[in-house]
Structures are given as structure tokens and as C-alpha cells.
Amino acid sequence: MTRTSPQQIQELSPQRVYSVLRSRPGGLSPVEVSERLHDVGRNTFEVIDRWKLVRSFSKQFTNFFTILLMVSATICFVAHSLNPGESMNILGWALTVVALLNAFFSFIQEYRAERAMEALKKFLPQQVEVERDGRLTKIVATDIVPGDVLLLAEGDKISADARIVEARGLLVNNAPLTGEAAPCPLNHNPCKKRLIESDNIAFAGCSVIRGSGRAVVFATGLHTEFGRVAHLSQAIKREPSPLEKETAHMVRVLTLIAMSMGLGFFLYGVTQGRPLWVNLVFMMGIIVANVPEGLLPTFTLSLAMGSLRMARKNVLVKSLSAVEALGAIHVICSDKTGTLTENRLTITELVEPLTGSPCGEDDIRSLLSFALAASEVHESDKGLTGDPLDVAVAQKIIRSGDTLAPIQNTIEHHFVFDVNKRRSAGIINRGGKRFFVVKGAFEAIRPMLGTIALPTGEGGQKAGRRPADQKNLNRAAEVMADMAGRGLRVIALAWKELDGSYKPGNFTEKEQKELEKALNLASFIGIEDPLRAEVPQAVEKCHRAGIEVLLITGDHPATARAIAAKSRIVAEGEKERQIITGDILAGLNEDGLVARIEQGCRVFARTTPEQKMKIIDALQRMGKIVAMTGDGVNDSPALKAADVGIAMGRQGTDVARESAQIILLDDNFASIVAGIEEGRTVFANIKKFTNYVLVSNGPEILPYLLYILFPVPLALNVIQILSIDLGTDIIPSMALGQEPPDNETMNRPPRSRNQGLLTPALICHSYLFLGLLEGLWSLGLFFLVLHNGGWRFGDELAGHDQLYRSAMGIALATILLMQIGNLLGRRFRRRSGLDPGIFANRLLLLGIIIQIVFSWATLYFPPLQKILNTGPVSISVYCLAWLGILLIFGADYLRKRLLLSRENRG
């Protein structure tokens, strides 16, 4: 028994509900509970995954780069077993450690985000009150079963889908499920509406605002509407992020180059009759020289540091790839309630009913006290409680400088809100005079009106009242319609003074009807879920950055239209053309939807969770990288389907946070923009240090090409190459990853989905320009030392020969020093890189110092000489190596100036 006739449960009478669900007013017996718990399972939508952490760690070893490192390490171990004298096992262990460290860094970041998610889980209540076997008892929410009788009271969170069988002024907040901020009144009467629209169903995940009642559970866990949407989001498989795709492409290209060259020269060595172990060592040298071993851990560290910087901006990143993905987005699809708005009702205006003019300050104070008489608000340690509309009235009074107690003490009687009548009322004593006050929908109060108040005239005097004839009533209706058109929820306030025949006490329905005659319409109260103050500026910043913002909400079209205009998602004059409602959307196929979006549609109202996904699919088909923001259960499938899902941390539901990659800890839309800027900066910096690292591949590969083609000594061995890739290049790469955002970062459009990291231009610049330059200068000094030492072309040198060791030492030292010029040049695309910002980046300075010290130690520090098999050279030759810094920096700066000049002419 999982869910009993969900299509019909709302149509049944309360007595029939008990029968169909095999329950009774006194609740289930312990035996029945045990049986149903066994059949249905616990009331939870989470499936316990005992192997989640193991799978998460194992996943870190599935990327191409890590696999290549592990394969290379295996080859090293094989080579060592064939010829232990070459110490290839050291290289194998070094590569293994790099792969393990990278996996560890990625896993730790995801683990930390997972723990942060656990800290945010406060969605379902821990205990609920039920009636079982004729006794009231409190149980853990996960133990609820279909047929349980729930007792609902103000402030309760609802733990399962239940059919209301008794209701006393019951008002619930369904925003987490439906996205609508307006409270929903519930009753026990049968209805013919769809289940999700029924006013006799309490849904799991929602909460009781006011009143009390009893309900019979008919669905638990994944069978609830809450669970259905949660399951929908779990079934969606997220596509790899842009960075993951680009990194995979880059790794494939580099791997293809490395393996092709390694295998090609291995076969060449075999045909030349060289020993197998020599060919294996040589192949490993080619592979190691081509593969930037330090790039992957630097990637991971850069993304991890980016995630920490985002966390300081209240943006929690659950997976490292999402750091950069946020910077790549083209479109933000934003929910309304709780994302663009504050998710709380606020009175924004009180207006004269015939003119729409704002009421005077004195009038406002009087009108608010009258409105409070028709409200039911309680003060507690947690603040004000009650109907959100009543709370908004009380908060407005407090903001006006008054206190509630003196006004509440003058309230003699309160008539609770009637769902059918759509109004509440009260009697207040003002200076010995008693007034009957009604607050509610204008349509409900309109038949009770006898007069309509005129605006305050000059000198603060009232001009009087007008009769509530058809002309004036129509005029008042126009004022109300204008307010509603601006996205406001409009409440009418009317009153009349009671004569001496009034007697305090309880009123019969007939007596209340007598009171509700000949009322004076005093004011229209405009209420809204206010826009967050920072949203318009944040949306404008998105527009400047070339990012489109779409509003997708389940709310009313008029409200969506008004919020879109206020937040500057659409211009005032374009509101009508740019909105599509759910019923229109249902009739559009994907081609039709794409066409409407291309025509400028930016607002979608009355949408379902499935329709939100339909919109995202259409945008992705257009080649857009899509971010979706939301906080409700209804947003979770779209959060999962989007390239980047962004959930609210404070007001967001647990399901939304589980489905998202990024969580806004302050629920601030502006934090998204800060995250986008950080994401763009991360990508730009990744490109910088990728360029930087690949440059050193040139002088690492070139010696092997010369060695295999000509009878010359090998200028660099594998250990020396690794000292660059896994040693001196790491800190400078991390420093480039720490570079601050460029001033123009948010003034440029987002990159295209097809723009990768490893572009032809970057390859040419890295290998054929700067890499070749480094290779030629370092090899030039290598052969200079050999020539000065008496070596002649074709001579063979032993590995321990002092001349050979000195030549290898100057080749390595030259590359290290020239990487300083490369490092400075990588800071900017078109500027030199020499500016005061160098001193602000301490890692950059540290990287330069490391390269200088290591270049010296390579030549003149005996312990390092022994490890790297290098030797000293004369100071004059070492000075020539220092000239390489000016050579590479100057050549690159000249290239920048030429490109800049060409761009300016263009």
C-alpha cells in the first residue's frame, strides 16, 4: 500500500477517506503500523548509499590525465624491472604520487561540500503528532505510514501527503512545492480539482501557517508529490561541465601527441638495433616530456582555491568543475520566490480607493490599527506568528514607530478569516467609539459597501464620502486593477462606526451579517513579496557581461510580469510580448519554444517542474550554457537538468540543495554575479597557466628529437624534466591561478560552448614560438659548454662524465630562468605583465625566487647535483642563461604589441 487513489482522494468525503485508506478516527493499531511500515518502507525520499564515498573517490581516477599518469608509472616500473640501474622506479613512484594527490584533492573538496550539505539539512521535521490506537503520540517523521491520522497545528511542518478531514482556520504555505508565496487555505470538503490544486490536501514539505486540523496520510516517501519531484531530479543525469569537456579534449590531444611520438621513436630505436630497455626509457622520456604532469594537480588546486574564494562570497561549490562552469554560462533561469524576492509579504502602499493616491501619514496609522483589528497575530520568542498577511500588517505598524500591545488591547472581538467569504473582521474601541472593521478581497467586500472614502483635502480635512454606486465602485475596481497589474496583492479595508445598540459577546451568523452592511471603503492595501534590493543592479551587470536572465516561476503572470520589470529582466514597454504562461507553453513543441525565446521571450509564468526542464532543454539545444536558480522542491528537476544548478542555502529545500552544484549561503542573487566573475577569472587563469606549463614542454621535447635523429648527447634526462614539471613550475602555475579579475572581465560576453582550452593559437604560441625559443637558447648553451670542453659532433659521452653533467646543468638552469620571463608574460594577454600587481601576488614572487634558487642550486649545490646528475659551469656562461629571461620576455612583448596594433587598426 503506497498511495491510495491519488486522483480521487480529494473528491471523497471525510468518512469515505477513512474507509478507503483502511483507517479510523482513532488511528491505526500497532500491528497495522508495523505491517504498513514493512510494506511501504520509511517515510523518506533518500536512498541510503553505503558506497557513496568509495565511488566518489574511485571516480577521481577515471579522468584521462590520471589514467595516463598511472599507465606511465606502470611502464616505469616495467622498465626498472628490466634494468634496475636506471632507477626508473623513482619516476614511477613520482607519477603515482601525483595521480594520488590529485584524486585526494578533488575528493576532499567534494567531501567537504557533502558535509556542508549535511549541516544544511533541516527540511523534514524530526517529530510529528499522530493519533494511533485512540491515543495521541509523538513519533519520528520517518515512521509515518499511509492511514496515520496527523494532527496539524500552527508552525508544524507537514511530513507526508494527507487528506484533511477536519479544519479550523487552516492555512498552509505550499511555496516549497509549488513556488507560490501566497498562503493556501485548506478545508475538509470534497473538491473536483487536480490533486496539486486541491484545497483539502496537505503536502509533505510544506508548513502550517495558522489554524489546526486533522488529516489522514495517503502517501509517504517517494510516493508523495514532494518525493515524486525529488525522484524526477534524481533520475536526471547531468552533462559534463564545459571545463570537464575541454579538459578531456586537451588531455586527448596531448596524449595522442605523446603516445604517437613515444611509440614512433620506440619503433625507430628498435629498427636501429638499440636494446629494449633503452628504447623503453627513451619512450618514457618522450611521453614524460610531452605530458605536463604538474598541470592536473595545478588544475585541481586552482579550482579548489577558486571554490574557497567563492565560499568567502557566500557561494558554496559542491563539485570543483562547477567553479569554472559558473563563469561559462550564457543564460540564468531564475525562480522568483526566495531568489529574486525575499519570500515574505510586505505592505508597500495604502491608497485612496477612488483616486489611487497614497494615503496621508496620519491616515496610514489609523488605517493600520483598523487593519490589525481584523488580523490575528501573536508575539513569541521566534517573532510574530500568524497569517503572513496579518504579520505584514503588524510589521508595518512596528516599522511606523508604533507598538502592537496598545492597539491589541483595544480590540474587543475578532472574526477569524473565512475561506469561503475571503475576509476577516474585528471590532475595535477608539476613544469610546466602537468600529466594525473588515479586511479581505475587494470582490468579497464590494456588496457590503454603502460609501467610499474621499481623499484627504487641503489642511488635512476629509472631503467626505461618496455613495457606493456603480460608477464609484467601477472607479475603485480600476484602482485595484491598476495595483494588481503592478504585481501587488490587493486587500480592501472597510469599516463602520457601531451605534449604542452594540453589545460585546459572541455573534450569530445573522448578527454578523447585520454588521457587514453599509460599510465605508477606506483604503486599498498593496502587498507584495518585495524584490531583493540588490537584484536590479545584479541583473544589469549580467546584461553587461552578455548573460541573459530569464524568469521562470509558478506564480501568477501579473506578478511575474511586474517582478521581471522591477528586476530589469525586461524593459517596461516589452512586458506583454515577453511572457509565456504554462498553458501556452504546454502547446509549444521544442522548435516553437526555441522560436519564442529567439524572439525575445524572457518571462515564463504558471510553469510546472516538467515545463521548467523543457525550457532548459530548449536553451541547451540553442547551444547555451544554462544556470538555473531555485529554492523549492518544484525547482529541483530543473536544477539537475541545467549545466549549473544554483540552490538557496537558507530558504532552499533539501531536495533543491541536493540537486544543485552550487549553493548560495546568503540566498543573494548578487552572489551569483560575484560567482560568475570568479568563474570567468578561474578559466582565464587556467588558460594562463596551461599556456605557461606547455611552453616548457618545447625545450623538454627538443633534446629527445635531436638525440634520436643525430649523434649527439641527450640534453635532459627524465628526472630533470620532472624537476621542472613537478617542481619549479608548480608554484608559478598556482600563482597564475591566483591572479585577480581583470577590470574588463564582466564587460565581455561569455565564451562559446565550443571554445576550448587547447586552441591552435595556444599550441602554436606554446610549442612553436616560446617553447622553441627556450629550446634553442638552452640547447645553444648546452652545446657551447660541450664545445668549450672539447666535445666534437658524434662523440659519445658517459652519463657520469663531468663535462656532460655541466652541459646538462646549464640546459636545465636556462629553462628554469627563461620560465621567469614566460611567467611574467602570461599575466596579461596584451600587457607586459610588469606592474605593481606582481608584488600583491606573493605566490608569484615565491615562484620567481624558487626558479632562481633552483637554477643556481642545479649548478652549484652538490647534493642537488648528485640527484639531477648536473655539474657547475663558469659564471660567464651562467650569465648567458640569465639573458634568456630578457630574450623570451622581450620577444613575447613584441608579439603582443604587434597584435594590439593590428587590433587597433581593425
Side-chain angles (χ1 to χ4, degrees):
M1 177 176 170
T2 56
R3 186 173 189 144
T4 304
S5 304
Q7 294 82 13
Q8 302 172 1
I9 196 76
Q10 70 274 24
E11 300 177 11
L12 305 178
S13 66
Q15 295 78 15
R16 181 65 178 148
V17 169
Y18 284 115
S19 174
V20 168
L21 293 172
R22 289 185 287 151
S23 183
R24 62 194 70 84
L28 302 173
S29 68
V31 174
E32 289 172 317
V33 171
S34 178
E35 290 175 349
R36 296 185 189 194
L37 197 58
H38 178 268
D39 293 339
V40 180
R42 293 194 173 276
N43 180 33
T44 176
F45 55 86
E46 291 183 289
V47 178
I48 297 175
D49 187 354
R50 301 181 186 276
W51 299 97
K52 184 175 183 180
L53 290 178
V54 175
R55 278 206 311 275
S56 177
F57 185 69
S58 302
K59 186 185 68 175
Q60 312 306 326
F61 293 94
T62 58
N63 70 72
F64 221 88
F65 235 154
T66 303
I67 292 172
L68 181 60
L69 289 176
M70 298 302 290
V71 170
S72 300
T74 303
I75 294 174
C76 288
F77 292 132
V78 171
H80 176 72
S81 66
L82 293 174
N83 188 13
E86 292 296 314
S87 300
M88 290 297 288
N89 62 324
I90 297 175
L91 174 59
W93 285 116
L95 295 175
T96 302
V97 168
V98 170
L100 289 172
L101 282 176
N102 179 74
F104 181 74
F105 284 138
S106 298
F107 172 74
I108 286 298
Q109 170 61 23
E110 292 189 14
Y111 179 78
R112 287 175 63 251
E114 192 71 28
R115 296 285 71 79
M117 284 284 294
E118 291 293 334
L120 290 170
K121 287 184 178 180
K122 296 177 181 177
F123 193 73
L124 286 177
Q126 293 298 306
Q127 288 193 320
V128 293
E129 193 171 20
V130 300
E131 186 164 353
R132 284 182 174 175
D133 213 15
R135 293 190 299 271
L136 295 181
T137 182
K138 283 192 175 182
I139 64 170
V140 178
T142 54
D143 288 344
I144 293 175
V145 295
D148 261 328
V149 178
L150 286 181
L151 274 72
L152 304 176
E154 184 175 310
D156 286 352
K157 287 184 179 178
I158 303 164
S159 304
D161 285 357
R163 167 67 158 83
I164 303 297
V165 290
E166 293 179 24
R168 293 173 292 279
L170 196 58
L171 201 67
V172 297
N173 174 21
N174 283 345
L177 184 63
T178 65
E180 289 203 51
C184 303
L186 298 184
N187 60 67
H188 65 273
N189 299 318
C191 72
K192 296 286 187 180
K193 298 178 181 178
R194 291 191 309 136
L195 184 73
I196 194 68
E197 298 172 348
S198 299
D199 48 18
N200 58 12
I201 302 292
F203 293 105
C206 301
S207 57
V208 179
I209 297 172
R210 190 189 65 200
S212 60
R214 292 162 63 91
V216 184
V217 174
F218 65 88
T220 59
L222 289 173
H223 303 288
T224 63
E225 288 297 309
F226 183 105
R228 186 184 65 81
V229 180
H231 181 70
L232 182 63
S233 67
Q234 291 169 3
I236 299 167
K237 186 177 180 180
R238 177 174 278 118
E239 288 292 313
S241 73
L243 183 63
E244 288 171 330
K245 292 178 180 178
E246 291 155 13
T247 304
H249 171 73
M250 180 181 71
V251 170
R252 283 195 297 269
V253 171
L254 293 177
T255 302
L256 183 62
I257 293 172
M259 296 304 292
S260 299
M261 291 183 66
L263 187 60
F265 285 111
F266 174 80
L267 295 175
Y268 179 81
V270 170
T271 59
Q272 296 300 307
R274 297 185 179 186
L276 179 62
W277 73 266
V278 172
N279 290 325
L280 279 175
V281 170
F282 183 75
M283 181 177 72
M284 280 308 308
I286 286 288
I287 292 174
V288 169
N290 271 283
V291 175
E293 291 84 5
L295 192 58
L296 192 57
T298 308
F299 256 59
T300 305
L301 286 172
S302 177
L303 291 171
M305 289 187 288
S307 73
L308 292 175
R309 291 194 299 272
M310 283 187 173
R312 287 194 287 269
K313 297 175 181 178
N314 291 309
V315 180
L316 174 66
V317 179
K318 289 174 59 182
S319 67
L320 288 180
S321 61
V323 174
E324 180 279 333
L326 188 58
I329 61 173
H330 300 130
V331 181
I332 299 175
C333 296
S334 179
D335 181 41
K336 178 187 75 69
T337 305
T339 307
L340 297 177
T341 64
E342 297 178 4
N343 196 18
R344 63 178 179 86
L345 294 181
T346 302
I347 293 177
T348 57
E349 56 188 78
L350 287 87
V351 303
E352 304 284 356
L354 286 178
T355 64
S357 303
C359 295
E361 191 64 35
D362 291 338
D363 285 339
I364 288 176
R365 299 172 84 96
S366 177
L367 291 168
L368 286 174
S369 65
F370 275 16
L372 188 64
S375 304
E376 189 173 9
V377 179
H378 306 286
E379 290 185 275
S380 67
D381 295 338
K382 298 180 180 180
L384 300 173
T385 61
D387 185 308
L389 173 58
D390 294 349
V391 170
V393 171
Q395 288 174 334
K396 181 71 172 177
I397 291 173
I398 293 171
R399 286 197 301 270
S400 300
D402 294 329
T403 55
L404 300 182
I407 302 173
Q408 289 177 325
N409 290 338
T410 64
I411 299 173
E412 297 184 350
H413 192 85
H414 178 72
F415 301 88
V416 297
F417 180 80
D418 188 301
V419 173
N420 297 320
K421 294 180 178 179
R422 300 170 62 195
R423 60 183 181 270
S424 59
I427 297 174
I428 187 171
N429 190 324
R430 299 289 297 275
K433 296 182 179 180
R434 291 181 172 88
F435 297 88
F436 175 72
V437 184
V438 179
K439 170 171 64 72
F442 176 64
E443 296 85 354
I445 295 177
R446 181 170 176 162
M448 308 173 186
L449 299 177
T451 58
I452 301 176
L454 289 172
T456 303
E458 294 183 8
Q461 297 298 315
K462 279 284 185 182
R465 305 177 186 178
R466 290 279 177 86
D469 55 23
Q470 197 61 39
K471 178 181 177 182
N472 290 325
L473 286 173
N474 289 343
R475 175 61 191 138
E478 290 173 4
V479 171
M480 187 211 69
D482 177 70
M483 294 174 69
R486 289 186 278 119
L488 297 175
R489 182 182 175 191
V490 185
I491 299 297
L493 183 66
W495 57 270
K496 75 174 181 179
E497 185 177 349
L498 298 176
D499 56 30
S501 61
Y502 160 76
K503 293 181 181 179
N506 294 324
F507 292 85
T508 64
E509 187 172 342
K510 182 178 180 181
E511 289 172 330
Q512 186 175 343
K513 284 184 178 180
E514 287 298 318
L515 290 175
E516 293 174 341
K517 292 181 179 179
L519 301 179
N520 176 49
L521 180 61
S523 176
F524 285 131
I525 303 174
I527 303 163
E528 68 176 353
D529 180 5
L531 189 73
R532 293 180 181 273
E534 67 278 356
V535 166
Q537 185 178 357
V539 170
E540 282 195 342
K541 197 168 184 180
C542 287
H543 289 161
R544 287 198 302 272
I547 300 168
E548 299 177 61
V549 181
L550 274 60
L551 173 59
I552 306 177
T553 178
D555 220 329
H556 192 278
T559 306
R561 189 183 299 118
I563 290 295
K566 289 178 182 178
S567 58
R568 300 173 190 167
I569 292 175
V570 299
E572 282 287 344
E574 299 178 332
K575 290 187 293 185
E576 292 294 338
R577 181 175 62 86
Q578 294 193 340
I579 188 167
I580 290 180
T581 56
D583 54 349
I584 297 174
L585 185 57
L588 292 174
N589 58 23
E590 194 169 89
D591 290 333
L593 179 56
V594 167
R596 291 295 297 269
I597 294 173
E598 289 175 341
Q599 291 167 9
C601 178
R602 294 293 175 269
V603 182
F604 298 85
R606 291 293 192 211
T607 55
T608 64
E610 291 82 2
Q611 288 175 334
K612 292 182 180 183
M613 292 172 57
K614 182 178 180 179
I615 296 166
I616 288 172
D617 288 342
L619 289 166
Q620 290 173 333
R621 180 182 165 187
M622 295 166 66
K624 307 286 188 181
I625 297 174
V626 184
M628 173 72 195
T629 73
D631 64 343
V633 179
N634 60 320
D635 299 317
S636 58
L639 289 171
K640 192 75 173 285
D643 296 289
V644 183
I646 307 171
M648 303 297 111
R650 289 181 180 175
Q651 299 185 76
T653 63
D654 193 42
V655 174
R657 292 192 294 259
E658 287 284 355
S659 301
Q661 294 168 293
I662 289 175
I663 298 170
L664 300 184
L665 299 178
D666 60 352
D667 292 2
N668 191 332
F669 185 85
S671 296
I672 299 175
V673 181
I676 291 171
E677 184 173 26
E678 187 63 51
R680 288 189 175 189
T681 301
V682 165
F683 181 80
N685 289 344
I686 286 175
K687 201 152 190 174
K688 289 176 186 177
F689 66 66
T690 300
N691 193 180
Y692 167 81
V693 167
L694 293 182
V695 166
S696 63
N697 278 17
E700 292 170 357
I701 296 170
L702 199 55
Y704 283 86
L705 297 180
L706 292 180
Y707 176 71
I708 198 70
L709 296 175
F710 302 104
V712 296
L714 183 62
L716 291 175
N717 62 36
V718 173
I719 300 298
Q720 290 166 353
I721 291 172
L722 286 180
S723 72
I724 300 171
D725 293 353
L726 298 178
T728 57
D729 270 358
I730 295 293
I731 298 298
S733 297
M734 291 171 59
L736 289 173
Q738 292 290 294
E739 284 289 285
D742 188 284
N743 292 333
E744 295 299 310
T745 297
M746 292 300 287
N747 291 330
R748 289 191 290 264
R751 72 179 191 276
S752 111
R753 184 183 278 272
N754 298 322
Q755 181 183 343
L757 280 170
L758 202 64
T759 61
L762 188 142
I763 292 174
C764 290
H765 181 259
S766 298
Y767 286 93
L768 302 180
F769 180 45
L770 296 185
L772 185 60
L773 197 59
E774 272 191 20
L776 292 174
W777 190 253
S778 60
L779 285 173
L781 295 183
F782 171 79
F783 287 115
L784 176 64
V785 170
L786 288 179
H787 181 269
N788 290 343
W791 175 82
R792 294 296 177 265
F793 186 78
D795 291 350
E796 289 190 10
L797 294 173
H800 59 272
D801 188 292
Q802 186 60 43
L803 175 62
Y804 182 37
R805 293 178 64 183
S806 295
M808 284 200 297
I810 193 62
L812 177 58
T814 302
I815 295 170
L816 295 174
L817 291 173
M818 292 185 78
Q819 281 291 85
I820 296 174
N822 177 29
L823 174 65
L824 296 174
R826 299 289 62 73
R827 294 185 64 227
F828 299 107
R829 290 177 65 249
R830 294 293 181 261
R831 288 155 54 191
S832 70
L834 294 174
D835 66 356
I838 294 175
F839 303 102
N841 192 335
R842 295 181 181 179
L843 271 181
L844 193 77
L845 295 176
L846 178 61
I848 292 173
I849 291 170
I850 287 173
Q851 287 169 321
I852 292 172
V853 171
F854 201 82
S855 73
W856 173 86
T858 296
L859 299 171
Y860 306 113
F861 187 57
L864 190 60
Q865 289 176 341
K866 184 177 180 180
I867 294 172
L868 297 177
N869 196 33
T870 59
V873 298
S874 66
I875 295 299
S876 59
V877 174
Y878 187 45
C879 289
L880 289 176
W882 277 81
L883 286 177
I885 300 175
L886 296 177
L887 176 64
I888 192 169
F889 179 81
D892 194 45
Y893 182 63
L894 180 60
R895 177 194 66 87
K896 291 179 182 179
R897 297 302 300 176
L898 291 173
L899 289 175
L900 189 61
S901 175
R902 184 186 301 171
E903 288 173 2
N904 290 337
R905 287 199 304 270

